[in-house]
Amino acid sequence: MGTTPDVSAQPLAPQVLGIDLGGSAIKLGRFSHDGTCLQAMTVPTPQPAHPEAVLAAMVEAIAQLDPDETCLAIGVGTPGPADRRGRIARIAINLPGWQDIPVADWLEAKTGRPTVIANDANCAGLGEAWLGAGQQFQNLILLTLGTGVGGAIIFNGQLFTGPDGAAGELGLITLRPDGPACNSGNHGSLEQYASVQAIRRQTGLEPIELGLKAQAGDRDALAFWQEYGRDLGAGLTSLIYVLAPEAVVIGGGISASAEFFLPAVQAEIQRRVLPSSRGNLQLLKAQLGNRAGMVGAAKLAWQLIGAFNS
């Protein structure tokens, strides 16, 4: 649990709550308007993670983090797509029973605070654009390399989710048409070559083990990361041609080994993408780590307040 600065002699500045709902943990933070995290805490996600149990855990954690109910709004990142209004978790991957769950309505009823939700990768992208590696760019894409491969599109400084809230599933683009089956129904999606699950399937090892082996100079591990970078670069090629971003930000747990695969990603992009389509494209490692989703959720909450006041 984080610590709170001593503000007893000062009036409390406006604050919001940012929440990142994961399959094993729920991360919460109180944020000021400039993105300062005043206090944070993490609680375990109930197992099994049925909606009612998760909601109860979130409400209890909110009460602990904000006992005086000073926060003006709540933003929540969920592991799956939300509807375009940011009210309903359409499906939460790896959470049982999560199908069209009205998370925002439930939390508003329990806490009395306006609430908005979004896909967790979208929140991570919004967080990196606000306070992380993407601050200086108006147009960028984020890939989160973890259990799956998530994505986010920031277009003209705003999170782009499309007319139905489902845009930005960047990990589900096709890399090899005859590749392994994907939970999405696709075959050979980028996720099937760039996720933790894919790495386990290909090598029998965890990404952290391959990273440690590469650090020690293991030739097989270094060769694996080269191939991994080529696949990732090939997938990014399609996204760059379509979206022409100023920057590509790479996050998620696998990015801990970025030093071993980003050069291959860069080389593949330069080989495959016309200079006119990549311009001064920046390939960057995410800066916020596992706080990105929570930070982005807080940004959503501030945007919700702004919408109410406009």
Side-chain angles (χ1 to χ4, degrees), residues 5-26:
D6 182 7
V7 294
S8 57
Q10 308 171 29
L12 285 175
Q15 302 168 21
V16 298
L17 284 168
I19 302 176
D20 183 13
L21 168 60
S24 59
I26 304 170

Side-chain angles (χ1 to χ4, degrees), residues 46-84:
Q47 303 298 328
H50 293 297
E52 294 81 3
V54 171
L55 174 69
M58 291 172 67
V59 170
E60 182 178 346
I62 289 168
Q64 292 180 46
L65 193 63
D66 185 29
D68 299 324
E69 300 186 359
T70 56
C71 290
L72 302 177
I74 301 170
V76 183
T78 63
D83 71 312
R84 65 181 180 83

Side-chain angles (χ1 to χ4, degrees), residues 118-144 150-162 167-170 239-240 242-250 281 288 292 295-297 299-300 303:
N119 170 278
D120 55 359
N122 282 337
C123 285
L126 197 57
E128 289 289 341
W130 184 26
L131 298 175
Q135 289 182 70
Q136 68 189 72
F137 306 104
Q138 286 292 298
N139 299 281
L140 64 97
I141 59 177
L142 169 90
L143 280 186
T144 56
I153 302 168
I154 305 296
F155 182 69
N156 289 337
Q158 301 295 317
L159 179 64
F160 177 77
T161 58
E169 293 288 351
L170 306 183
L239 299 173
I240 292 165
V242 172
L243 298 169
E246 299 169 83
V248 174
V249 179
I250 304 295
L281 177 71
L288 300 181
V295 171
K299 182 63 172 178
L300 280 178
Q303 291 176 340

